[in-house]
């Protein structure tokens, strides 16, 4: 080891001997090298040192704080008080560890066999199972986020809200209302608005097309468009229910689309005229399970109608002026044709499905 003390003397140690060089001298002082065990304690100021430090030292340096530090076994002394030996462990080797300090994780993602964890302005890497009691960060971690990723915008230097790595090995970092992508080249990184890319859902109503509509026996309103449907529980129709739109095929007995829907005699009917030309019936008001042996083909003599494969709209009327002998008049529309039939119904009912 070697160091320069506050008086300007430079000491170099090698095994059992040491040399001294005075300030502004190009040569070691006369009478050196000397044996550490015999002479080191006699150097200026060393008489104050604890006994182990008078016999030899393991390492030494002058710090940026202007103090001289000497190390011996598991202790050290400083020029601030050469008589006081302190534990090396109590002062040296401590690292900033946000996980230990805060006890929280901001976000994490998987990188090969490593688990990368963000906390404050630091990133950690763990290769061992996090559930192990003695789990330790990988060598070289924690490190500052800005040092781990090159060209990182300043706003992403700390407090990462969310992160993931996709199948193309691109890392996505989210912070407040923005996100960035980082590929293997760590090229120029530009933040983008989250709302410009994320959270978009397939919504056929953006084209203004409704194929069928229904007020169900459960009191909720259903709108069908393309291969999706929307549900409203409120009377003002200001917002669809949470979790909607949903795919028709997953909830309505396998129908791919719904082109007509109505409630009659306590039963609900839905028709798919676009793909399967079939219909389905529900006798319960929760719509969890269709009636047995449904769906059925529309052309299977449905209500003794002519053999039409499709109809565009169904209008059920049962109010004064259109009730004939207590029967409900049903109007089916197919292109430029209109079919009229009747069904037993004593209750006034209006259901209209337009497509």
């Amino acid at each position: 080891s070697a160091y320069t003390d506050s008086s300007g003397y430079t000491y170099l140690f090698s095994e059992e001997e040491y040399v001294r060089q005075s300030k502004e001298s190009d040569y070691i002082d006369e009478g050196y090298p000397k044996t550490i065990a015999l002479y080191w304690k006699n150097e200026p100021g060393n008489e104050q040192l604890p006994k182990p430090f008078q016999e030899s030292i393991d390492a030494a340096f002058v710090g940026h704080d202007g103090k001289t530090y000497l190390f011996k076994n598991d202790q050290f002394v400083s020029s601030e008080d050469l008589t006081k030996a302190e534990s090396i462990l109590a002062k040296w080797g401590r690292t900033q560890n946000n996980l230990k300090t805060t006890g929280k994780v901001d976000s994490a993602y998987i990188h090969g066999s490593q688990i990368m964890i963000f906390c404050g302005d630091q990133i950690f890497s763990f290769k061992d199972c996090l559930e192990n009691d003695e789990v330790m960060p990988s060598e070289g971690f924690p490190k500052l986020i800005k040092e781990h990723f090159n060209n990182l915008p300043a706003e992403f230097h700390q407090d990462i809200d969310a992160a993931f790595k996709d199948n193309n090995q691109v890392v996505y970092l989210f912070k407040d209302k923005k996100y960035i992508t980082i590929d293997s080249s760590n090229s120029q990184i530009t933040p983008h608005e989250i709302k410009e890319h994320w959270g978009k859902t397939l919504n056929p109503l953006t084209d203004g097309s409704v194929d069928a509509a229904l007020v169900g026996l459960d009191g909720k309103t259903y709108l069908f468009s393309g291969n999706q449907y929307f549900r409203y529980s409120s009377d003002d129709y200001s917002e669809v229910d949470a979790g909607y739109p949903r795919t028709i095929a997953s909830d309505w007995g396998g129908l791919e689309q719904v082109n007509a829907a109505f409630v009659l005699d306590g039963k609900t009917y839905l028709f798919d005229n676009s793909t399967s030309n079939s219909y389905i019936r529900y006798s319960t008001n929760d719509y969890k399970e269709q009636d047995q042996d449904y769906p059925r083909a529309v052309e299977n003599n449905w209500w003794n109608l002519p053999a039409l494969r499709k109809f565009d709209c169904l209008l059920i009327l049962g109010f004064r002026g259109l009730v004939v002998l207590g029967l409900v008049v049903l109007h089916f529309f197919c292109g430029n044709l209109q079919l009229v039939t009747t069904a037993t119904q004593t209750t006034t009912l209006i259901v209209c499905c337009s497509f």
Side-chain angles (χ1 to χ4, degrees):
S1 61
Y3 78 97
T4 300
D5 67 12
S6 57
S7 300
Y9 289 117
T10 299
Y11 296 93
L12 288 83
F13 300 84
S14 177
E15 296 182 354
E16 297 178 351
E17 295 182 321
Y18 73 99
V19 296
R20 189 185 74 184
Q21 183 174 330
S22 298
K23 186 177 181 180
E24 298 180 355
S25 174
D26 294 330
Y27 303 96
I28 62 173
D29 292 350
E30 186 177 353
Y32 293 85
K34 293 183 177 181
T35 303
I36 297 174
L38 296 178
Y39 297 99
W40 170 243
K41 61 183 177 181
N42 299 324
E43 296 292 342
N46 286 0
E47 65 277 0
Q48 306 176 58
L49 290 172
K51 186 174 181 180
F53 289 84
Q54 293 181 0
E55 297 173 353
S56 67
I57 61 173
D58 298 329
F61 74 93
V62 178
H64 292 299
D65 56 4
K67 301 176 184 178
T68 300
Y69 295 91
L70 307 178
F71 298 85
K72 174 67 176 180
N73 298 329
D74 59 352
Q75 294 182 316
F76 79 98
V77 295
S78 76
S79 57
E80 184 177 32
D81 185 355
L82 291 176
T83 65
K84 182 181 178 181
E86 300 180 69
S87 168
I88 293 176
L89 185 62
K91 179 176 176 63
W92 303 97
R94 292 180 294 179
T95 61
Q96 180 184 349
N97 187 324
N98 291 346
L99 280 177
K100 184 177 181 180
T101 302
T102 66
K104 71 181 186 71
V105 172
D106 292 334
S107 55
Y109 71 94
I110 301 298
H111 177 65
S113 62
Q114 303 176 72
I115 302 173
M116 312 300 294
I117 293 179
F118 295 93
C119 181
D121 62 353
Q122 292 184 319
I123 183 171
F124 295 73
S125 170
F126 293 92
K127 292 185 177 180
D128 199 3
C129 177
L130 294 180
E131 296 181 358
N132 291 346
D133 292 336
E134 302 299 325
V135 63
M136 295 290 290
S138 303
E139 186 175 355
F141 290 88
K143 63 172 65 173
L144 293 177
I145 297 173
K146 65 181 180 181
E147 295 177 354
H148 184 70
F149 297 105
N150 296 329
N151 304 318
L152 202 62
E155 59 193 301
F156 286 84
H157 286 181
Q158 63 182 19
D159 302 328
I160 303 300
D161 295 328
F164 74 90
K165 188 174 185 178
D166 69 9
N167 292 332
N168 295 319
Q169 306 305 303
V170 176
V171 176
Y172 291 77
L173 302 182
F174 298 81
K175 170 74 180 293
D176 296 332
K177 296 182 178 181
K178 295 182 179 181
Y179 78 98
I180 57 174
T181 58
I182 306 171
D183 59 22
S184 58
S185 65
N186 270 336
S187 55
Q188 184 65 36
I189 302 170
T190 303
H192 301 279
E193 293 287 334
I194 293 175
K195 64 181 180 181
E196 294 177 356
H197 182 80
W198 301 96
K200 296 181 180 179
T201 59
L202 179 64
N203 188 345
L205 287 185
T206 56
D207 297 329
S209 173
V210 176
D211 300 327
L214 167 73
V215 176
L217 293 173
D218 56 0
K220 303 181 188 300
T221 302
Y222 297 86
L223 269 64
F224 299 87
S225 179
N227 64 351
Q228 292 186 315
Y229 76 99
F230 301 75
R231 193 185 75 183
Y232 291 86
S233 295
S234 62
D235 294 334
D236 60 4
Y237 303 122
S238 58
E239 292 183 353
V240 300
D241 290 351
Y244 290 83
R246 290 177 56 88
T247 303
I248 293 172
S250 62
D251 295 341
W252 295 98
L255 296 183
E256 297 293 333
Q257 297 183 21
V258 174
N259 305 100
F262 62 89
V263 175
L264 182 66
D265 289 336
K267 294 180 173 59
T268 302
Y269 297 84
L270 292 89
F271 294 80
D272 180 357
N273 297 333
S274 300
T275 56
S276 61
N277 198 35
S278 59
Y279 75 100
I280 196 169
R281 188 183 76 186
Y282 293 87
S283 296
T284 59
N285 62 1
D286 58 9
Y287 300 130
K288 291 183 178 180
E289 186 174 351
Q290 70 268 27
D291 290 353
Q292 188 174 359
D293 299 328
Y294 285 86
R296 295 179 180 179
V298 173
E299 62 263 39
N300 188 19
N301 196 29
W302 191 76
W303 281 0
N304 295 316
L305 292 174
L308 293 174
R309 293 188 57 83
K310 297 182 180 180
F311 58 87
D312 301 322
C313 181
L314 169 64
L315 178 62
I316 303 177
L317 301 173
F319 54 90
R320 182 176 299 178
L322 289 176
V323 177
V324 182
L325 298 178
L327 301 180
V328 175
V329 182
L330 296 89
H331 295 257
F332 294 87
F333 300 89
C334 181
N336 60 355
L337 298 178
Q338 179 182 181
L339 305 177
V340 181
T341 186
T342 59
T344 302
Q345 176 62 275
T346 59
T347 305
T348 299
L349 174 65
I350 302 176
V351 178
C352 182
C353 305
S354 306
F355 321 100

